Amino acid sequence: MAGSVKEFTDANWKSEVLDSSVPVIVDFWAPWCGPCRMLAPTIEKIAEEFGDKVKVGKMNTDENSDTPGGLRISAIPTVLVFQGGKEVDRLVGVNPINKFKDTLGKLGVA
């Protein structure tokens, strides 16, 4: 389904993120995190607006510890952008949608 926010886990990380043929935006969050809840509508808008051109998902850091630990996620919300299996950008905290659009623009996603 185009425009939906996926759930990333330690188990599906490689197939969903590292092996993706399109850029991937990953929102690292936790249910108790207030700023994470503030960022959620922005993440959903990006998924709706960019549809199949970008894969957008969230990873609950309380339920998945291996991947965030390996990526040096020390504060949430942290959003990582991947292209070709490599991290190409990192946005920490609550950022406006334009910051995400700027990053995607640099990756050739319009």
Side-chain angles (χ1 to χ4, degrees):
M1 177 179 176
S4 62
V5 177
K6 299 183 177 300
E7 182 177 346
F8 298 138
T9 64
D10 288 337
N12 72 13
W13 180 256
K14 184 178 186 313
S15 64
E16 288 286 347
V17 179
L18 301 182
D19 294 341
S20 176
S21 61
V22 297
V24 184
I25 291 179
V26 185
D27 175 17
F28 291 89
W29 72 288
W32 50 264
C33 168
C36 298
R37 288 193 298 272
M38 291 171 50
L39 183 62
T42 300
I43 297 299
E44 290 165 12
K45 281 183 193 163
I46 292 167
E48 289 171 16
E49 191 168 327
F50 289 93
D52 293 334
K53 294 184 267 184
V54 176
K55 190 182 294 187
V56 179
K58 300 167 77 76
M59 178 176 276
N60 183 329
T61 58
D62 286 350
E63 296 175 357
N64 302 279
S65 58
D66 294 346
T67 302
L71 293 168
R72 304 171 325 277
I73 303 297
S74 58
I76 54 174
T78 293
V79 177
L80 300 186
V81 181
F82 288 83
Q83 187 173 40
K86 306 275 188 243
E87 179 184 331
V88 295
D89 203 358
R90 177 178 292 238
L91 300 159
V92 179
V94 179
N95 286 283
I97 195 164
N98 289 347
K99 293 255 310 201
F100 298 100
K101 289 181 178 181
D102 289 349
T103 294
L104 292 173
K106 290 176 191 167
L107 299 178
V109 179

